[in-house]
Each structure stands twice: as C-alpha cells, then as structure tokens.
Amino acid sequence: MSEKSGFSGCPATGIGSMPGGDAREAAKTVTGSFAGGEGLPYLAELPARGPGADMVGRTIGLLVDLYGHVEPSGWRISDRPGRDTRRARSWLGEDLDALEEFTQGYEGPLKVQAVGPWTLAAALELRGGEAALGDPGACRDLAGSLAEGVRAHLAEVRRRVPGARVVLQLDEPSLTAVLRGRIRTASGYRTHRAVDRQIVEGTLRDVLAAAGDGPTTVHTCAPEVPFALLRRAGAGGISFDFSLLTEREEEAIGEAVEGGTHLFLGVVPSTDPASGGLSDPGGSVMGVRTLWRRLGLNPGTLSESVAITPSCGLAGASPAYARAALAHCVRAARSLADNPE
C-alpha cells in the first residue's frame, strides 16, 4: 500500500512546527528523531520567531508575484515585497541552511509543509480587509501563485538535499470551515458562502500537482475531515487528529485504506500533558488497533498503511516535550509493527 502512495519507510513523523527560535537546534532534533529509517524527517517551522515564521507567513514568502504584509488583523496582500515578506523569506533560508547542514549524505523521504490554497485564502486579506476567500478571482490567482512557488521550493529542497525523496504536505486546517461556509467576514456578523466542492477539489488538485511525481499529503487538525474529497484531489496521504474521529467517518477511513491512501494518525499530544508524562507506546496506538478490528481490515497491513504523529504541530510544547513526543511517535509506530493485533 505504501509503495502506491509513495510513503514506504515513513512509520512516524511530525506535523511541522517546533518550539523555540533556533533553526539549527530544530533541524538537529527533527533529523535525529527519525534517523536510521525510523521515520520521516521534515523542514521545521518555528513560529515563535514572530510574523513571517508562522505557517501563513512562511507560505506567503513562497508566493510568486504576490506579496503580503502584517496588519493588526493578520496578513494582507501587498503591491510589492516589503519588510514582512523579506523577513519570511530570510527565515525560510535560515531553516533550509540548517536542514541542509544536518542532512549531509541523507537518502530517503523528507517532508516540507506549506499552507494549502483554501486555508491561505481564508487567512490572507485583500486590500479592503476582507479575506481573499470571498473573491473567486483572487482565490484562483492565489492558488496559481502558490502552485508556482511550491514547485520552486521543492526544487530548492531537492538541490540542497540531493538524496531526498521530497514529500509535499499541504496544511488545510480551515478546509472544512470553507466547505461548510463557516469562515467569518471581517465584520464578524456574517460568514463567507460555502465554496463549491468541485472548485475546492480542483484547486487542491492543481496545487498538489506542483509536487510532480513526488508523494503528497494534506494535514488538518480540525474535525470532519473530508476524506473522499482529499483522495479525489490526489492526496496520497491524509494527516489528522485521531481523537477527533467519529463513527460517521469510519467508512471513509476504510475506503481510504483500501484505496491505497496513507493515514498519518495524530495520537500523541502536541503539548505537554497535564499529567507530566506520556502513556506507554502501545497504549498510544491501542485505539488504532481497535479501529482496524472494527473496520475488518487486515492487521498485517496496519504498519504499512499508517504513520504515527503528534495530534498537531509542536510549537506550543516545551523543547524537552517536543523531543520526547517525536521519540514517542517512533516507539509507538514500532509497537504497531511488532504487535499489529
């Protein structure tokens, strides 16, 4: 199954963000946590550094012929690259330098993240202050610019880490809200109309296609993941918070697995637990085994079909917990492989 989606050898990974502001420390942690084929290393994001290092700001820095600047309400379209866009690009360069340093001689999968077109359209304001989401033409322009920027970004990562098989992850936490018409207007009194599902699907397909033949996944830590839509759009993997699954989505999960989609299951807390510690690795994936049995899926396919991740990004965790969480994901994945039933 994993061969079909391109995720062979990816039993565990992180979502993207890490705590702190030290690019070298983050790269060292991420590459070290998944050394020796134990998981999927990734280009870390460090939002604690401020605007431009957040996931939206970083992605705005990737756009081609579109620019942004920070307003009190968030990121807004600019006519030309200003200080905020330059800062975003500078931090990305710093993160790439650190990743390159710690992946010398590396061969294997390597993940990079960018905000997807619909979450970006919901977050980025036009000059008048309304979200780009409310303007179909702006959404098309944004998606086209994003696809071009992502294509160039992936090429740069491949140049810096020539042995890498680069995986593209699109972060779409606002996708369900876009589909259901839940994104509020600037006034807060109304919501933007739901976007047609075929338009959403087609736009996602176009941006995912920027990865070429490389593996792709879409991440959301929101409830009501649109599994079927993401699969039709061409996502080889779907990453989500396992604790938010409901019985209504179980059939879609079964269809996804049987159709060859790789599941990135967020089962490890993304912030320091109040109890002060993590459960044993086997306990962390007990619910995964239970779901597999309930769906009547072959336990032997479990470790081939899923990767274990934190429930969301680790930016809100302590550095010590972030390291522990990634190591725990690796041990939990090993537990699934050793004892699928």
Side-chain angles (χ1 to χ4, degrees):
M1 197 295 311
S2 297
E3 295 294 344
K4 180 177 176 182
S5 61
F7 290 109
S8 177
C10 304
T13 190
I15 302 303
S17 67
M18 294 288 287
D22 187 329
R24 291 186 73 257
E25 184 62 30
K28 181 180 178 182
T29 297
V30 167
T31 54
S33 297
F34 303 117
E38 293 259 45
L40 173 57
Y42 56 94
L43 178 62
E45 300 164 356
L46 300 172
R49 291 180 297 195
D54 60 298
M55 70 177 194
V56 171
R58 164 168 284 189
T59 301
I60 287 170
L62 297 177
L63 297 177
V64 174
D65 296 330
L66 281 177
Y67 314 104
H69 67 275
V70 178
E71 293 280 341
S73 53
W75 282 90
R76 185 172 293 183
I77 288 279
S78 296
D79 294 323
R80 59 186 63 86
R83 180 184 62 184
D84 296 327
T85 299
R86 288 194 295 270
R87 185 191 295 125
R89 292 174 176 173
S90 174
W91 272 327
L92 175 59
E94 185 180 304
D95 295 336
L96 286 168
D97 289 344
L99 181 72
E100 184 177 2
E101 177 184 349
F102 287 98
T103 51
Q104 293 295 311
Y106 175 75
E107 294 185 359
L110 176 67
K111 181 165 68 72
V112 299
Q113 306 81 219
V115 174
W118 294 108
T119 295
L120 194 60
L124 182 59
E125 299 173 357
L126 300 178
R127 291 174 183 85
E130 284 292 352
L133 183 65
D135 183 330
C139 288
R140 285 192 296 272
D141 291 346
L142 191 56
S145 174
L146 176 62
E148 195 174 340
V150 164
R151 198 174 291 115
H153 180 45
L154 297 180
E156 173 69 4
V157 174
R158 292 185 187 108
R159 184 187 69 78
R160 287 171 174 262
V161 192
R165 176 166 52 91
V166 182
V167 176
L168 170 63
Q169 174 181 301
L170 292 183
D171 292 319
E172 282 283 13
S174 299
L175 182 60
T176 299
V178 167
L179 288 166
R180 297 183 180 272
R182 296 174 183 164
I183 301 294
R184 293 205 168 274
T185 59
S187 69
Y189 294 122
R190 296 186 300 109
T191 57
H192 290 280
R193 286 192 300 180
V195 181
D196 182 270
R197 297 180 78 86
Q198 287 188 316
I199 293 173
V200 170
E201 180 184 321
T203 301
L204 277 169
R205 183 181 299 112
D206 291 345
V207 178
L208 287 167
D213 295 331
T216 60
T217 186
V218 176
H219 167 72
T220 175
C221 46
E224 303 173 87
V225 179
F227 289 98
L229 183 151
L230 294 175
R231 292 176 58 219
R232 290 194 304 270
I238 301 174
S239 170
F240 56 96
D241 183 342
F242 188 74
S243 71
L244 298 179
L245 273 187
T246 66
E247 287 186 19
R248 291 194 306 274
E249 292 153 317
E250 289 188 2
E251 183 178 347
I253 289 277
E255 289 173 355
V257 171
E258 291 174 349
T261 302
H262 203 76
L263 302 180
F264 291 77
L265 305 181
V267 301
V268 177
S270 58
T271 54
D272 303 53
S275 62
L278 289 159
S279 68
D280 68 285
S284 293
V285 291
M286 189 181 304
V288 180
R289 294 190 183 96
T290 301
L291 174 64
W292 231 248
R293 285 195 297 270
R294 201 157 58 234
L295 293 175
L297 295 168
N298 178 3
T301 67
L302 191 50
S303 63
E304 301 170 3
S305 303
V306 306
I308 300 302
T309 75
S311 58
C312 208
L314 293 166
S318 67
Y321 177 75
R323 290 191 295 271
L326 294 181
H328 192 82
C329 288
V330 170
R331 289 193 295 271
R334 203 180 297 143
S335 170
L336 269 187
D338 293 344
N339 302 294
E341 299 185 74

